[in-house]
Amino acid sequence: MRKILQLPIAALALSAACVAGAQAAPATLPRLVHDGGHTALFVDGAPFTMLGVQVNNSSNYPATLKKVWPAAHDVHANTVEIPVAWEQIEPAEGRFDFGYVDTLLAQARQNGLHLVLLWFGTWKNTGPAYTPEWVKFDNARFPRMVDPQGKLSYCLTPFGEQTLKADKKAFVALMTHLKKIDDARHTVLMVQVENEVGTYGLVRDFGAKAQAQFEQAVPAVVLQHQKSPVALAASGSWREVYGDYADEYFHAWAIASYIEEVAKAGRAVYDLPMYVNNAQRNSAEPLAPWKDNFASGGPTWNVIGIYKAAAPHIDIAAPDIYNPESVQFDATLDKFQRPDNPLLVPEMSHAAGYGRFVYQVLGRGSLGIAPFGIDYTDYSNFPLGSKATGKQVIEPFVETYAVFESMQRLWARWAFEGRTHGIAEADDRKDQTIPMGAWTATVSFREWQFGERSWPNPPAEFPAGTEQPNGGVAIAQIGDNEFVVVGQHARVRIASTAKQGNGAMFARVEEGRFDASGHWVMERNWNGDQTDYGLNLTGHPVILKVRMGRY
Ligand code: DGJ
């Protein structure tokens, strides 16, 4: 953690007031700011936590938006991630229609929500489904990849010059329009370029142009950013440097280079932060060459370096998380949060067990998070997500988002200063510890609010809502001895690790809230049964401001 100061909450509240304040001039565009190893998304001049939702895939039409805003409001989101499809803005070549984009931004503003636009262009879940029809079926002008026998893949090749030119032209038109309508308002915070790129079933393009490139030397900038998983030649052809990984790594380079052209051209007209998302390869299993077990060439954890080298106008390679195993979840966050790659979880399943991960992701200082499929369009992406449709889809997130909502600006600043921590209950349900300077938090699960498991004859049953792993805790250390604690289905104990005094105890455990200007409003002080057995957080999250003392 950088700069552990005894920073009074009032000082933080002051900065939050400036952030939220009516006088704050929204002069600068949303941008990523890096400092001391941490990154923040600055919106109107100060750090912002994106409490996002991503809508279902076909909700990007004016008539459907009425089913989007109520869900975003009900769950206490501040940002909606929503597609803009190439097919809808350029249905006939060269004829652009931004009617939907205009309606979208106008309604987002009326609803007090920010947007992240998802550019569904050449690739959406690797395929060309969102390209206009004049692109989809013209193999000669917009070529597909081919296998070693010359058989066509469904996937458009990243070596299609006309495809790149056309995608870039449409994207630039979108960014130009966005600048015209949003430069002064900053409704749109970021843009995702393409969606879950890569190719299923074929490791790379074997067409003539691709093959000729494959035989060239690996560019020096790639060599600088991406080590080979196996010790081979330090330079040379892709095969010589990357061995059995060469085809996948080459395909990642080809797609990243294509995306770079699109992003660079878009940012030249309107410079918003941009990111790519990916359908992951398993982040917990040992690295092995591609075996048709994930989309080759996407920005999976093992090729982030290639994306950094080839696509400097892309700020973040971000994971879409649809595997609930806690070991994989942890591994994903570990692999994607790097000094050169800030953490952002732009998509996550909305199934029940994922609510707890919000604490872990935001506690680790993510720029934001967004469960996928949150709207009221009567669509469920079970089994990846929840079976529910309608109001039930928001249930795993609603109370968590509500507690973060009032302090999202403060939380973003604390995260930027390296003061935040977060964990989610693991599948093994074991206790976890969080080191915090001269203090350690120990988090346990499935506890009752009163008493100890070690007492004789502990109850055989467990609290409702803990049948499956469902606990999570996020803590911001806002001073040497002071913490903001939020969580659910967890017991938090804080102990001193400093060799000072005879012991430590709670000085204050205030339950309360942050008001609109970021000032703390104390509602009650927890003591007695509420603190004798640690801080017992139920399924109804609250904000606690905890001060520890030593005697
Ligand atoms: C990930 C994709 O990025 C989304 O567009 C959507 O298809 C979801 N998968 C469905 O779970």
Side-chain angles (χ1 to χ4, degrees):
M1 176 169 58
R2 190 164 54 91
K3 291 185 250 169
I4 272 281
L5 308 169
Q6 187 64 44
L7 200 60
I9 195 81
L12 288 161
L14 200 69
S15 63
C18 297
V19 169
Q23 302 95 324
T28 52
L29 286 180
R31 67 192 202 285
L32 301 190
V33 178
H34 312 276
D35 187 22
H38 300 279
T39 302
L41 169 63
F42 270 58
V43 177
D44 295 335
F48 179 92
T49 309
M50 186 188 86
L51 299 171
V53 290
Q54 184 165 148
V55 301
N56 283 300
N57 280 172
S58 308
S59 299
N60 55 317
Y61 286 87
T64 316
L65 293 176
K66 60 179 178 299
K67 296 181 178 164
V68 166
W69 312 123
H73 274 299
D74 290 349
V75 74
H76 300 275
N78 56 28
T79 305
V80 172
E81 295 178 356
I82 190 163
V84 175
W86 186 1
E87 66 173 2
Q88 85 186 124
I89 64 160
E90 196 185 6
E93 189 168 5
R95 183 168 64 72
F96 288 98
D97 176 354
F98 291 110
Y100 154 65
V101 176
D102 291 339
T103 307
L104 175 66
L105 266 73
Q107 292 190 11
R109 289 172 191 154
Q110 281 157 16
N111 283 278
L113 287 159
H114 284 288
L115 296 170
V116 168
L117 300 186
L118 315 175
W119 173 237
F120 284 8
T122 302
W123 298 292
K124 189 307 181 177
N125 294 17
T126 76
Y130 282 83
T131 61
E133 282 193 43
W134 53 269
V135 172
K136 268 188 193 106
F137 302 110
D138 188 345
N139 290 342
R141 192 170 158 212
F142 306 111
R144 292 175 147 78
M145 292 166 55
V146 294
D147 75 6
Q149 287 72 44
K151 188 165 170 270
L152 247 54
S153 156
Y154 68 96
C155 187
L156 295 177
T157 174
F159 292 96
E161 281 162 27
Q162 291 298 314
T163 327
L164 172 57
K165 196 170 160 207
D167 185 322
K168 189 158 73 173
K169 180 174 157 202
F171 188 67
V172 167
L174 171 65
M175 296 307 289
T176 305
H177 188 75
L178 218 51
K179 178 179 167 66
K180 195 168 86 194
I181 62 173
D182 203 38
D183 199 10
R185 299 290 297 270
H186 310 161
T187 313
V188 178
L189 304 182
M190 292 192 275
V191 178
Q192 179 190 291
V193 188
E194 314 293 343
N195 189 84
E196 290 197 349
V197 297
T199 308
Y200 292 105
L202 188 60
V203 68
R204 68 170 172 94
D205 189 8
F206 290 84
K209 211 181 285 172
Q211 191 57 34
Q213 280 289 339
F214 183 70
E215 283 156 20
Q216 297 296 306
V218 179
V221 65
V222 174
L223 295 174
Q224 277 158 27
H225 283 82
Q226 185 73 59
K227 277 210 331 235
S228 176
V230 279
L232 295 168
S235 62
S237 73
W238 289 83
R239 186 69 69 212
E240 286 164 343
V241 174
Y242 294 111
D244 290 347
Y245 295 85
D247 301 280
E248 180 205 339
Y249 283 35
F250 171 77
H251 195 37
W253 171 76
I255 295 177
S257 304
Y258 183 109
I259 290 175
E260 166 65 8
E261 288 294 305
V262 175
K264 185 168 77 181
R267 292 182 80 148
V269 293
Y270 190 44
D271 192 15
L272 288 182
M274 294 193 184
Y275 70 92
V276 288
N277 64 333
N278 75 109
Q280 295 186 64
R281 68 182 296 162
N282 187 327
S283 47
E285 68 185 20
L287 187 60
W290 182 85
K291 277 198 228 79
D292 204 3
N293 47 344
F294 62 94
S296 173
T300 51
W301 65 264
N302 56 315
V303 294
I304 292 174
I306 291 177
Y307 273 76
K308 295 292 165 194
H313 287 85
I314 291 296
D315 298 294
I316 307 169
D320 292 351
I321 310 185
Y322 289 92
N323 191 309
E325 281 171 30
S326 59
V327 168
Q328 263 207 60
F329 204 100
D330 294 350
T332 294
L333 300 189
D334 287 346
K335 292 199 157 98
F336 280 86
Q337 186 166 35
R338 318 183 343 168
D340 63 351
N341 196 59
L343 185 61
L344 170 72
V345 179
E347 271 186 56
M348 176 176 86
S349 165
H350 61 14
Y354 285 80
R356 73 196 203 274
F357 293 127
V358 173
Y359 300 98
Q360 181 179 13
V361 169
L362 296 185
R364 286 185 61 143
S366 177
L367 307 182
I369 187 165
F372 173 84
I374 302 278
D375 60 32
Y376 294 153
T377 57
D378 201 27
Y379 181 81
S380 144
N381 71 336
F382 179 80
L384 279 190
S386 152
K387 270 187 198 156
T389 58
K391 291 226 168 194
Q392 270 181 304
V393 300
I394 64 171
E395 263 171 27
F397 307 99
V398 62
E399 291 192 63
T400 310
Y401 270 32
V403 294
F404 278 104
E405 182 185 34
S406 68
M407 59 174 180
Q408 68 88 355
R409 289 286 197 173
L410 289 166
W411 193 269
R413 183 164 291 284
W414 293 329
F416 189 41
E417 293 173 351
R419 297 169 178 278
T420 62
H421 311 269
I423 56 109
E425 184 176 1
D427 297 339
D428 65 12
R429 320 205 73 172
K430 286 193 178 145
D431 295 2
Q432 296 184 44
T433 54
I434 305 174
M436 306 178 299
W439 301 94
T440 299
T442 301
V443 186
S444 55
F445 306 96
R446 307 207 81 185
E447 307 261 19
W448 291 96
Q449 288 173 277
F450 185 94
E452 303 289 352
R453 265 192 221 139
S454 55
W455 285 359
N457 307 317
E461 57 188 316
F462 294 101
T466 69
E467 297 77 12
Q468 299 298 323
N470 201 7
V473 172
I475 303 181
Q477 184 170 12
I478 61 172
D480 282 348
N481 305 322
E482 207 169 2
F483 307 90
V484 169
V485 179
V486 288
Q488 67 186 36
H489 293 300
R491 173 178 288 187
V492 181
R493 285 199 147 103
I494 300 179
S496 171
T497 52
K499 291 192 174 59
Q500 252 178 281
N502 299 293
M505 64 184 292
F506 293 119
R508 299 281 291 174
V509 180
E510 297 184 0
E511 178 183 336
R513 62 191 167 82
F514 291 97
D515 69 15
S517 54
H519 290 103
W520 176 248
V521 181
M522 194 276 265
E523 289 166 352
R524 65 171 177 155
N525 189 47
W526 283 18
N527 210 337
D529 292 343
Q530 279 66 49
T531 54
D532 286 347
Y533 308 100
L535 309 174
N536 288 286
L537 311 172
T538 68
H540 303 293
V542 292
I543 306 178
L544 300 176
K545 186 153 78 70
V546 178
R547 191 153 43 77
M548 300 297 299
R550 296 187 180 85
Y551 52 85

